[in-house]
Amino acid sequence: MNKFRLNINGKEVTGVAGQTILEVARENDIFIPTLCYDERTKIYGSCGLCMCEVEGNPKLCKACATEIAPGMVIRTNTERVIESRKTNLELLLSNHTGDCRPPCVLACPGQTDCQGYVGLIANGEYEKALELIKDKIPLPAALGRVCPHPCEEACRRGLIDEPISIQQLKRFAADVDLEGEVFVPECEEDTGKSVAIIGGGPMGLSAAYFLRQMGHDVTIFESMPNAGGMLRYGIPEYRLPKAVLDEEIATIESMGVEIITNTKVGVDIPFETVRSDYDAVLLGIGAWVSTGVGCKGEDAEGVIGGIDFLRRVVRNEEIGMGRKVAIVGGGNTAMDACRTAVRLGAEEVYNIYRRTKDEMPADRLEIEEGEEEGVIFKNLTNPLEIVKDENGHVKQVVLQVMELGEPDASGRRRPIEKKGSEFELPVDAVIMSLGTTPNPLIKSTTKGLEVNKKGGIIVNEDGLTSRQGVYAGGDAVTGAATVILAMGAGKLGAKSIDEYLSNK
Ligand code: FAD
């Protein structure tokens, strides 16, 4: 290798062609500051802290990106260099808020201060931890049981061994609170403004909780006999005991939020009446219409949507499921339906999913526990036809065997039919758990409300719909999503409505 000489800060050093000033300086224990240099990656941008002077060059150079040359004379600590580094650092810091927040907080759609409350719990300060959690989350005991915890995916502790169990710690702090005198946040003086929230799911409850703290009068209209939305009528009891949910909803009511149940807006009371009776309206109607696969025979008796099945179970309604049940779909609702069918005593519970287990969107734990409980996974199969008996009731489902092809737009490998491989599976019921959409009723009964192709209500970044003073959030906007997303949307909706009502 052809070595040549150069000079850094008066010290004679050697280097080889292709090396940068920074590399040679490091080899010779000459310190040049940098925040971004990593020898394993190419240099695209840079922090600008490794500036140095090269004799004969009127401009300052970046040491990380400037290759050495024979006889180069470099100075790394002149006043001009130091001044330039200061300016570059100030520029970096002027726009530097996000990076200073931990990845767990950034990954949480509710922006909960995970790092803060985990630290307080570690110090035994459970009450303070709960207050910090409740600054962002109105139903922490419920959420602590069901959250898919994106915070843990991002947790930096996972780089060493395992992520911190943030979800379980939240649940712990919330359960401790429910055992004693429950924390109730203070509400500001009454503003004289009123808000109607349509839908008492996590989105509506979250918005109500924050709007009351801001001093507004809040009424929730809920079509079902109890508030809670999918927390009550979707997620099964074995994952989220309803007594826990009841306690947390009671806390919100104790703040002065009125919940009017058994009242479907658009049926029992016109939307326009609600709009004219209140200063602002927030729509949180969720996504309660099950979608099917569109196969022949789907209208047979004994075919039911996943959320409809789970809701009937919660309401103790007659289901007539029979002994053998096929649940179609690979998400969490499908897993809840499978595991609920097992608990109801079905002898054979099949899960039908057109990809492999690895591609199933359901939580890993749910799949594993379903398997342990006896769910029979028929992966790489898709319903082709539902065959009826002479009474129009499900008799069997014809399944098409699939194989995986090239990745599709979702990044997952596309399932392709394996021709001639169809087979019949005798079943007494088929539960379609493929997805849900918002109820079109709200569009048809609300003048001027814009929705997208999937029926989701269109909102701007503040949660404002196409109608003035009418906001929306949660599953009704995004389509079926998660509780934490819905709660985050509730907080945003509350903030936007508060700004609207106070002309901010
Ligand atoms: P919803 O919870 O659906 O609440 C909407 C409310 O509006 C309902 O109470 C409904 O009765 C009411 N309503 C509708 N129309 C009207 C009307 N016209 N007038 C008055 N009231 C009306 N998420 C997770 O994070 N973790 C999980 O483990 C999880 N598991 C799930 C399991 C199942 C089976 C299902 C179906 C969903 C699950 N989810 C889970 C998703 C989560 O429950 C939803 O994303 C969340 O509940 C959405 O909240 P929301 O308030 O927007 O809507």
Side-chain angles (χ1 to χ4, degrees):
M1 235 179 300
N2 207 0
K3 279 201 166 190
F4 48 78
R5 300 178 74 79
L6 62 158
N7 184 302
I8 306 181
N9 296 343
K11 185 176 176 182
E12 287 294 310
V13 294
T14 56
V16 293
Q19 274 190 305
T20 63
I21 295 175
L22 186 64
E23 283 164 351
V24 176
R26 284 187 170 184
E27 274 177 15
N28 290 279
D29 293 330
I30 299 168
F31 176 68
I32 300 180
T34 169
L35 286 176
C36 66
Y37 178 73
D38 183 332
E39 61 202 10
R40 293 166 301 182
T41 61
K42 279 190 184 166
I43 294 156
Y44 289 107
S46 84
C47 62
L49 292 197
C50 64
M51 289 307 204
C52 58
E53 261 179 28
V54 174
E55 219 171 75
N57 190 341
K59 286 188 183 167
L60 294 180
C61 307
K62 285 176 187 160
C64 69
T66 309
E67 287 188 11
I68 56 166
M72 221 179 204
V73 177
I74 301 150
R75 274 181 287 274
T76 70
N77 51 10
T78 65
E79 257 182 47
R80 190 174 157 222
V81 164
I82 290 165
E83 206 47 49
S84 154
R85 284 183 191 152
K86 267 191 192 170
T87 310
N88 289 340
L89 188 59
E90 276 164 14
L91 274 173
L92 273 179
L93 292 176
S94 68
N95 189 19
H96 187 77
T97 47
D99 293 356
C100 290
R101 299 165 76 203
C104 49
V105 178
L106 292 171
C108 173
Q111 300 281 285
T112 45
D113 187 350
C114 318
Q115 198 187 34
Y117 70 74
V118 165
L120 287 166
I121 293 170
N123 293 341
E125 297 180 78
Y126 305 146
E127 276 178 31
K128 279 193 185 159
L130 191 272
E131 283 177 32
L132 189 59
I133 294 168
K134 280 206 137 180
D135 187 41
K136 299 278 165 54
I137 300 293
L139 309 163
L143 187 67
R145 286 168 167 80
V146 303
C147 191
H149 48 73
C151 51
E152 292 182 27
E153 305 285 313
C155 176
R156 269 198 288 245
R157 181 72 208 187
L159 297 172
I160 298 169
D161 41 41
E162 283 179 5
I164 303 287
S165 295
I166 303 170
Q167 180 200 354
Q168 290 301 327
L169 287 167
K170 178 177 24 253
R171 171 182 169 170
F172 166 75
D175 282 357
V176 169
D177 179 56
L178 290 181
E179 277 164 19
E181 198 180 318
V182 177
F183 167 74
V184 183
E186 279 181 22
C187 299
E188 283 176 24
E189 259 181 47
D190 283 351
T191 59
K193 301 281 183 189
S194 62
V195 184
I197 298 175
I198 302 176
M203 199 300 290
L205 289 166
S206 166
Y209 171 83
F210 291 110
L211 282 163
R212 258 317 285 143
Q213 288 180 60
M214 294 162 181
H216 303 303
D217 184 68
V218 184
T219 307
I220 297 179
F221 292 92
E222 169 53 54
S223 59
M224 299 297 284
N226 291 97
M230 284 301 185
L231 288 175
R232 183 181 302 280
Y233 295 105
I235 300 177
E237 175 78 14
Y238 66 87
R239 284 211 290 132
L240 172 55
K242 301 308 168 247
V244 172
L245 184 62
D246 287 341
E247 278 192 80
E248 294 203 301
I249 294 176
T251 307
I252 296 176
E253 285 181 288
S254 75
M255 293 164 66
V257 170
E258 189 184 359
I259 305 180
I260 303 175
T261 54
N262 288 314
T263 306
K264 189 162 194 158
V265 174
V267 174
D268 302 310
I269 172 172
F271 174 83
E272 297 308 332
T273 306
V274 176
R275 178 67 194 99
S276 61
D277 286 354
Y278 292 83
D279 295 308
V281 177
L282 177 62
L283 293 165
I285 57 160
W288 279 43
V289 179
S290 286
T291 48
V293 272
C295 71
K296 196 175 159 202
E298 218 172 311
D299 59 343
E301 225 178 281
V303 179
I304 182 174
I307 56 168
D308 308 308
F309 165 72
L310 291 164
R311 187 170 63 246
R312 281 198 202 172
V313 175
V314 173
R315 303 192 69 184
N316 259 330
E317 288 173 6
E318 177 58 36
I319 298 165
M321 187 180 65
R323 290 187 311 109
K324 298 179 183 180
V325 191
I327 291 101
V328 184
N332 279 329
T333 303
M335 282 306 103
D336 282 344
C338 287
R339 299 181 63 193
T340 299
V342 170
R343 281 165 175 74
L344 290 178
E347 286 165 22
E348 289 171 31
V349 176
Y350 298 98
N351 177 255
I352 314 291
Y353 181 60
R354 59 196 185 133
R355 292 181 164 100
T356 71
K357 273 203 198 107
D358 289 342
E359 285 87 20
M360 285 176 78
D363 217 76
R364 277 309 85 194
L365 192 69
E366 292 295 315
I367 299 171
E368 282 164 24
E369 289 185 356
E371 207 157 27
E372 278 172 25
E373 289 167 6
V375 176
I376 305 157
F377 284 83
K378 294 267 174 205
N379 286 106
L380 289 168
T381 61
N382 203 32
L384 210 55
E385 182 185 347
I386 293 165
V387 182
K388 305 175 191 175
D389 63 15
E390 59 283 4
N391 300 317
H393 196 279
V394 178
K395 188 171 83 173
Q396 60 190 31
V397 52
V398 181
L399 294 174
Q400 167 76 63
V401 175
M402 314 292 283
E403 57 190 349
L404 293 183
E406 293 299 308
D408 62 14
S410 73
R412 295 177 305 170
R413 290 176 66 194
R414 187 193 303 275
I416 303 169
E417 293 176 3
K418 241 176 150 180
K419 289 277 178 232
S421 61
E422 304 82 25
F423 67 99
E424 288 150 6
L425 186 70
V427 288
D428 304 310
V430 177
I431 300 173
M432 293 288 184
S433 295
L434 290 135
T436 57
T437 55
N439 193 330
L441 172 86
I442 202 75
K443 155 93 177 134
S444 59
T445 54
T446 308
K447 261 188 280 170
L449 187 74
E450 285 178 15
V451 302
N452 62 28
K453 274 189 210 147
K454 292 184 174 167
I457 301 169
I458 297 174
V459 293
N460 72 4
E461 68 276 10
D462 298 323
L464 177 66
T465 68
S466 47
R467 286 272 308 256
Q468 207 207 353
V470 180
Y471 294 76
D475 282 8
V477 167
T478 56
T482 61
V483 177
I484 182 68
L485 255 172
M487 285 186 188
K491 189 164 200 287
L492 171 76
K495 180 174 164 280
S496 303
I497 289 175
D498 181 54
E499 285 170 3
Y500 167 71
L501 294 179
S502 46
N503 288 321
K504 277 181 200 158

